[in-house]
Amino acid sequence: MNTTITATAKYIPEKILSNFDLEKIVDTTDDWIKSRTGITKRHIVQESEATSDMCANIAKKLLESSGKTPEEIDIIIIATSTPDHFVVSTAAIVQDKIGAINAWGYDLTAACTGFIFALETGARLIESGKYKNAIIIGADTMSSIIDYKDRNTCVIFGDGGGGVLIEQTDDDYGIVDSILKTDGSGNQFLTVPAGGSRKPASETTVKQRLHYVYQDGKTVFKYAVNRMSEVSKEIIEKNKLSSHDIKLFIPHQANQRIIDATARKCGLDLDQVFVNIDKYGNTTAGTIPIAIDEANKMNLLKSGELLLLAAFGGGFTWGSMLIRWNKML
Ligand code: COA
C-alpha cells in the first residue's frame, strides 16, 4: 500500500508588500533585493488573520476539490513555526473551523523543512492502514515574527501556505522515498531567541527585539545549498535514477541564488526547476506546498512522472522526497 496526494491547495494573503514598499521602511533597494534574492514582492496577512485562518482556508479547498466531507478526515498535521498560540495547536483550531469531528491532529515544527517532515509522518500513518485520509499543511505567518527594522530578514520572508490531501492507494503512485535530516548544532544560526521556555517574554526581551527572527544569512546560505543538493543527489542515486528522470524539482524557495546553485550541483536543468520566489518570498513551511499546488494547477506533471522535493531550514533541518505523481481529476 502507498500514500498518494489526491488534492492540492494554497492560500496567499491579499495584501502585498513590494520591494518598493520596503525601500520606504529600511535601507534597501528593489535592485539589491532582486539581484541578491530574486524576490520582487511578498504577501502579508491582515491584522485580523492568523496561521489557522490560512490553514482552514486551505483545508476547505482540499475538501472541495477532493469531494471529501469533513467527517472523512482522520488526521490534520500543520507544519508551522508561527502557530496561533503555544497552547493550543493550530491543528486543533483548524479541526474545529472545518468541522472535522472525527479527526485528531497536531502541529509540527521544523521551520522551512516542516512540510516534508509532516508529509512523511502523515504518509506513514496512512500506510499503517489505521487511517484513510489526512490533511497535511505547511503555512507560516512570518510577518508576526519579522523585525521590519532588520533589512537582513525583512526583505526575504512573506506569509502564506499550502497543503495536500493524502490517501491510501494500491497503485504505484505516491510517495516513493524520503531522506530526512536534523542537525541541532546549527540552531544558533537561524532562530527566534526569546518567547520560549529558555527566555520567556519579558519587558527586557521585548526591548531587545528578541522575539523576531535572527539569522546568520551567509552561514544559512552555504548550508542550504550543500545540504539540499546532498540529499537530492542521494535520493536520486538510491532509487537508481539520473537527474534526467526527474520531471520537476521543487526546492524550498529561500533565495533564487540558493535554488540555482542547488539545481546546478544536482545536474538539473533550469526547465526542471519550479520557481515562484519572485512572487511570495520565503513563506517558510509554506513554500513547498504552495509550489506543489501551482505546479498541479499548471499541469506540469503527468501521471507517472517524478517530482523531487528538497528543503532546508532552521534547526538545522533538511530533507528530500521523491513522489510519483498521479494526475488529479
Ligand atoms: N538591502 C541592501 N543591502 C543589504 C541588505 C538589504 N536588504 N542586506 C544586506 N545588505 C548589505 C550588507 O550590509 C552588505 O554590505 P557591506 O558589503 O557594505 O557590508 C552587503 O549588502 C552584502 O551583504 P551580505 O550579507 O554579504 O549579502 P548576501 O549576498 O549574503 O545576501 C542574504 C544576504 C540574507 C539575502 C543571503 O545571505 C541569504 O539569502 N541567506 C540565506 C537566507 C535564508 O535562506 N534563510 C532562510 C533559510 S530557510
Side-chain angles (χ1 to χ4, degrees):
M1 191 198 302
N2 285 331
T3 305
T4 194
I5 295 171
T6 54
T8 68
K10 71 171 180 195
Y11 176 80
I12 307 294
E14 266 175 41
K15 194 171 149 192
I16 290 173
L17 184 65
S18 71
N19 292 351
F20 298 106
D21 295 328
L22 285 170
E23 280 184 357
K24 294 178 202 140
I25 306 173
V26 287
D27 181 15
T28 193
T29 60
D30 173 55
D31 269 356
W32 192 95
I33 302 172
K34 273 204 297 234
S35 63
R36 304 309 292 161
T37 70
I39 302 165
T40 57
K41 64 184 176 76
R42 67 288 297 137
H43 291 245
I44 302 292
V45 295
Q46 304 286 347
E47 233 171 77
S48 59
E49 257 179 327
T51 301
S52 73
D53 301 310
M54 296 200 283
C55 295
N57 179 290
I58 294 161
K60 282 178 190 161
K61 285 177 187 157
L62 291 172
L63 293 174
E64 265 165 40
S65 61
S66 64
K68 301 269 180 221
T69 63
E71 294 80 9
E72 287 178 279
I73 302 304
D74 301 307
I75 309 162
I76 299 169
I77 308 177
I78 311 277
T80 188
S81 299
T82 49
D84 289 22
H85 308 281
F86 276 164
V87 181
V88 300
S89 74
T90 312
I93 301 170
V94 173
Q95 179 271 342
D96 180 51
K97 282 187 178 182
I98 66 168
I101 54 171
N102 298 312
W104 63 283
Y106 55 93
D107 291 3
L108 186 153
T109 309
C112 302
T113 318
F115 179 76
I116 295 187
F117 279 19
L119 190 50
E120 167 79 1
T121 319
R124 301 308 156 218
L125 287 165
I126 293 289
E127 279 159 29
S128 74
K130 192 168 174 189
Y131 309 103
K132 283 196 162 62
N133 302 305
I135 284 178
I136 314 294
I137 293 174
D140 271 298
T141 310
M142 294 307 291
S143 59
S144 67
I145 55 168
I146 288 299
D147 184 351
Y148 287 96
K149 290 189 167 157
D150 177 9
R151 68 177 184 174
N152 291 307
T153 50
C154 74
V155 301
I156 297 172
F157 292 97
D159 300 340
V164 297
L165 182 84
I166 54 173
E167 301 182 50
Q168 295 171 359
T169 177
D170 293 326
D171 295 330
D172 260 355
Y173 301 128
I175 295 161
V176 177
D177 199 5
S178 64
I179 298 174
L180 306 176
K181 305 272 186 182
T182 296
D183 176 2
S185 68
N187 75 79
Q188 75 273 23
F189 298 115
L190 179 51
T191 187
V192 176
S197 59
R198 175 66 57 197
K199 229 184 247 275
S202 68
E203 208 179 319
T204 312
T205 61
V206 172
K207 272 195 188 133
Q208 292 176 342
R209 310 183 80 76
L210 297 179
H211 297 271
Y212 296 120
V213 171
Y214 161 81
Q215 76 166 354
D216 171 348
K218 275 196 186 314
T219 302
V220 174
F221 190 106
K222 200 176 65 192
Y223 272 87
V225 172
N226 290 335
R227 298 289 103 89
M228 276 203 292
S229 57
E230 273 164 23
V231 285
S232 301
K233 283 195 286 194
E234 191 182 335
I235 205 166
I236 289 173
E237 280 164 24
K238 189 174 159 217
N239 287 275
K240 301 187 177 18
L241 300 165
S242 89
S243 57
H244 303 294
D245 296 314
I246 303 300
K247 175 64 185 180
L248 193 66
F249 177 51
I250 297 183
H252 170 50
Q253 311 280 309
N255 183 318
Q256 179 73 55
R257 292 184 297 136
I258 293 178
I259 295 170
D260 293 345
T262 304
R264 224 175 13 250
K265 274 176 169 261
C266 295
L268 292 156
D269 296 332
L270 285 184
D271 62 359
Q272 288 171 286
V273 184
F274 190 91
V275 180
N276 61 7
I277 189 167
D278 50 316
K279 295 187 285 183
Y280 310 127
N282 181 351
T283 55
T284 304
T287 69
I288 289 186
I290 290 171
I292 292 176
D293 182 55
E294 293 192 344
N296 181 31
K297 304 279 157 64
M298 291 161 78
N299 288 314
L300 297 184
L301 290 153
K302 295 195 195 72
S303 282
E305 289 181 333
L306 287 171
L307 167 66
L308 176 62
L309 309 177
F312 180 86
F316 293 130
T317 54
W318 69 101
S320 60
M321 183 175 266
L322 192 63
I323 295 174
R324 191 171 293 284
W325 195 251
N326 65 305
K327 192 94 191 70
M328 281 147 234
L329 297 175

